[in-house]
């Protein structure tokens, strides 16, 4: 499967239980965090140094707008101002390599 289609077919994004919530966030589900989300979270913690579950908890506590302000600052390249990719920890524009936490 081409790399750019993972989000389209994501079983978490397309979860039937999630579709039944009004907020469309996993934290709204009574089964939060589900086994699929825990598995993804474990992989992201190991490979990329970030937690999907912690992010969702922060969104629930502070709101999506505050979360996005913090994340935009965190993932902005200090060299050119473009976006740092969580998967490579490199700037998508200039290639600047950020150190993992």
């Amino acid at each position: 499967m081409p790399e750019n289609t993972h989000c389209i077919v994501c079983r978490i994004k397309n979860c039937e239980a999630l579709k039944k919530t009004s907020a469309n966030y996993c934290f709204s589900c009574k089964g939060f965090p589900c086994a699929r989300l825990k598995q993804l979270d474990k992989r992201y913690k190991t490979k990329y140094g970030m937690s999907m579950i912690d992010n969702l908890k922060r969104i629930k506590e502070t709101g999506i707008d505050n979360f996005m302000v913090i994340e935009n600052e965190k993932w902005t390249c200090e060299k050119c101002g473009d976006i740092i990719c969580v998967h490579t920890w490199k700037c998508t524009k200039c290639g600047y390599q950020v150190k993992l936490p």
Side-chain angles (χ1 to χ4, degrees), residues 45-64:
K45 281 181 181 178
T46 302
K47 291 177 97 173
Y48 310 120
M50 54 102 46
S51 170
M52 298 289 192
I53 293 172
D54 289 348
N55 285 350
L56 285 163
K57 288 177 181 177
R58 271 187 260 132
I59 292 168
K60 183 177 182 179
E61 292 169 8
T62 66
I64 190 67

Side-chain angles (χ1 to χ4, degrees), residues 4-5 8 11 17 19-20 37 45-46 49 51-52 54-57 63 66 68 75 77 84 94-95:
N4 61 352
T5 61
I8 295 169
R11 293 174 121 189
K19 288 180 182 179
K20 292 177 183 177
L37 186 57
K45 281 181 181 178
T46 302
S51 170
M52 298 289 192
D54 289 348
N55 285 350
L56 285 163
K57 288 177 181 177
N66 289 329
M68 291 304 299
W75 298 105
C77 178
I84 300 292
C94 74

